[in-house]
Coordinates of all heavy atoms in Angstrom, one line a residue:
E738 N -1.0 -5.1 -10.1 CA -1.1 -6.4 -9.5 C -0.1 -6.7 -8.4 O -0.4 -7.2 -7.3 CB -1.0 -7.5 -10.6 CG -1.0 -8.9 -10.1 CD -0.9 -10.0 -11.1 OE1 -1.0 -9.7 -12.3 OE2 -0.5 -11.1 -10.7
P739 N 1.2 -6.3 -8.6 CA 2.2 -6.5 -7.5 C 1.8 -5.7 -6.2 O 1.9 -6.2 -5.1 CB 3.5 -5.9 -8.1 CG 3.3 -6.0 -9.5 CD 1.9 -5.8 -9.8
L740 N 1.2 -4.5 -6.4 CA 0.7 -3.8 -5.2 C -0.4 -4.5 -4.5 O -0.4 -4.5 -3.3 CB 0.3 -2.4 -5.7 CG 0.0 -1.3 -4.6 CD1 1.2 -1.0 -3.8 CD2 -0.6 -0.1 -5.3
S741 N -1.3 -5.0 -5.3 CA -2.4 -5.8 -4.7 C -1.9 -7.0 -3.9 O -2.3 -7.2 -2.7 CB -3.4 -6.3 -5.7 OG -4.4 -7.1 -5.2
R742 N -0.9 -7.7 -4.4 CA -0.3 -8.8 -3.7 C 0.4 -8.4 -2.5 O 0.4 -9.0 -1.4 CB 0.6 -9.6 -4.6 CG -0.1 -10.3 -5.8 CD 0.8 -11.1 -6.6 NE 0.2 -11.7 -7.8 CZ -0.6 -12.8 -7.8 NH1 -0.9 -13.4 -6.6 NH2 -1.1 -13.2 -8.9
Q743 N 1.1 -7.2 -2.5 CA 1.8 -6.7 -1.4 C 0.8 -6.4 -0.2 O 1.1 -6.7 0.9 CB 2.6 -5.4 -1.8 CG 3.4 -4.8 -0.7 CD 4.3 -3.7 -1.2 OE1 4.7 -3.7 -2.4 NE2 4.6 -2.8 -0.4
F744 N -0.3 -5.8 -0.6 CA -1.3 -5.4 0.5 C -2.1 -6.6 0.9 O -2.8 -6.6 1.9 CB -2.2 -4.3 0.0 CG -1.6 -2.9 0.2 CD1 -0.8 -2.4 -0.7 CD2 -1.8 -2.3 1.4 CE1 -0.2 -1.1 -0.5 CE2 -1.3 -1.0 1.6 CZ -0.5 -0.4 0.7
A745 N -2.1 -7.7 0.2 CA -2.7 -9.0 0.6 C -1.8 -9.8 1.5 O -2.3 -10.7 2.2 CB -3.1 -9.8 -0.6
G746 N -0.6 -9.4 1.6 CA 0.4 -10.2 2.4 C 0.6 -9.6 3.8 O -0.2 -8.8 4.2
K747 N 1.6 -10.1 4.4 CA 2.0 -9.6 5.7 C 3.2 -8.7 5.6 O 3.8 -8.5 4.6 CB 2.4 -10.8 6.6 CG 1.3 -11.8 6.8 CD 0.2 -11.3 7.7 CE -0.9 -12.4 7.9 NZ -2.1 -11.9 8.4
G748 N 3.5 -8.1 6.7 CA 4.7 -7.2 6.8 C 4.3 -5.7 6.5 O 3.2 -5.3 6.6
D749 N 5.4 -4.9 6.2 CA 5.2 -3.5 5.9 C 4.6 -3.3 4.5 O 5.3 -3.3 3.5 CB 6.5 -2.8 6.1 CG 6.3 -1.3 5.8 OD1 5.2 -0.8 5.6 OD2 7.4 -0.6 5.8
R750 N 3.3 -3.2 4.5 CA 2.6 -3.1 3.2 C 2.9 -1.8 2.4 O 2.7 -1.8 1.2 CB 1.1 -3.3 3.4 CG 0.8 -4.7 3.9 CD -0.6 -4.9 4.3 NE -0.9 -6.3 4.7 CZ -1.9 -6.7 5.3 NH1 -2.8 -5.8 5.7 NH2 -2.1 -7.9 5.7
F751 N 3.3 -0.8 3.1 CA 3.6 0.5 2.5 C 5.0 0.6 2.1 O 5.4 1.7 1.5 CB 3.2 1.6 3.4 CG 1.7 1.9 3.4 CD1 0.9 1.2 4.3 CD2 1.1 2.9 2.6 CE1 -0.5 1.4 4.3 CE2 -0.2 3.1 2.6 CZ -1.0 2.4 3.4
N752 N 5.8 -0.4 2.2 CA 7.2 -0.3 1.8 C 7.4 -0.1 0.3 O 6.9 -0.8 -0.5 CB 8.0 -1.6 2.2 CG 9.4 -1.6 1.9 OD1 10.1 -0.5 2.0 ND2 10.0 -2.7 1.5
G753 N 8.0 1.1 0.0 CA 8.2 1.4 -1.4 C 7.0 1.9 -2.2 O 7.0 2.1 -3.4
V754 N 5.9 2.2 -1.4 CA 4.6 2.6 -2.1 C 4.5 4.1 -2.0 O 4.5 4.7 -0.9 CB 3.4 1.9 -1.4 CG1 2.1 2.4 -1.9 CG2 3.5 0.4 -1.5
G755 N 4.2 4.7 -3.1 CA 3.9 6.1 -3.2 C 2.5 6.4 -2.8 O 1.6 5.7 -3.3
W756 N 2.3 7.4 -2.0 CA 0.9 7.7 -1.5 C 0.9 9.2 -1.2 O 1.9 9.8 -1.0 CB 0.4 6.8 -0.4 CG 1.2 6.8 0.9 CD1 2.4 6.1 1.1 CD2 1.0 7.6 2.0 NE1 2.8 6.4 2.4 CE2 2.0 7.3 3.0 CE3 0.0 8.5 2.4 CZ2 2.1 7.9 4.2 CZ3 0.1 9.1 3.6 CH2 1.1 8.8 4.5
H757 N -0.4 9.7 -1.1 CA -0.6 11.1 -0.7 C -1.7 11.1 0.3 O -2.5 10.2 0.4 CB -0.9 11.9 -2.0 CG -2.0 11.4 -2.8 ND1 -1.8 10.3 -3.7 CD2 -3.3 11.7 -2.9 CE1 -3.0 10.0 -4.3 NE2 -3.9 10.8 -3.8
E758 N -1.8 12.2 1.0 CA -2.8 12.4 2.0 C -4.2 12.7 1.4 O -4.3 13.4 0.4 CB -2.5 13.6 3.0 CG -1.4 13.3 3.9 CD -1.7 12.3 5.0 OE1 -2.9 12.0 5.3 OE2 -0.8 11.8 5.6
R759 N -5.2 12.0 2.0 CA -6.6 12.3 1.6 C -7.4 12.3 2.9 O -6.9 11.9 4.0 CB -7.1 11.1 0.7 CG -6.4 11.1 -0.7 CD -7.1 10.2 -1.6 NE -8.5 10.6 -1.8 CZ -9.0 11.5 -2.7 NH1 -8.2 12.1 -3.5 NH2 -10.3 11.7 -2.8
I760 N -8.6 12.8 2.9 CA -9.4 12.9 4.1 C -9.7 11.6 4.8 O -9.9 11.5 6.0 CB -10.7 13.8 3.9 CG1 -11.6 13.1 2.9 CG2 -10.4 15.2 3.6 CD1 -13.0 13.8 2.8
G761 N -9.8 10.5 4.0 CA -10.1 9.2 4.5 C -8.9 8.4 5.0 O -9.0 7.5 5.8

């Protein structure tokens, strides 16, 4: 839920978010 709210807001949405490369 906090991640969803972060990506629904403004600013650096990837701040503190773990992610990995995918083809898309």
Side-chain angles (χ1 to χ4, degrees):
E738 179 180 341
L740 189 64
S741 175
R742 292 184 186 282
Q743 183 171 332
F744 276 89
K747 301 287 184 196
D749 180 6
R750 295 174 177 161
F751 281 86
N752 184 34
V754 175
W756 59 277
H757 53 278
E758 288 290 343
R759 295 192 55 88
I760 60 172

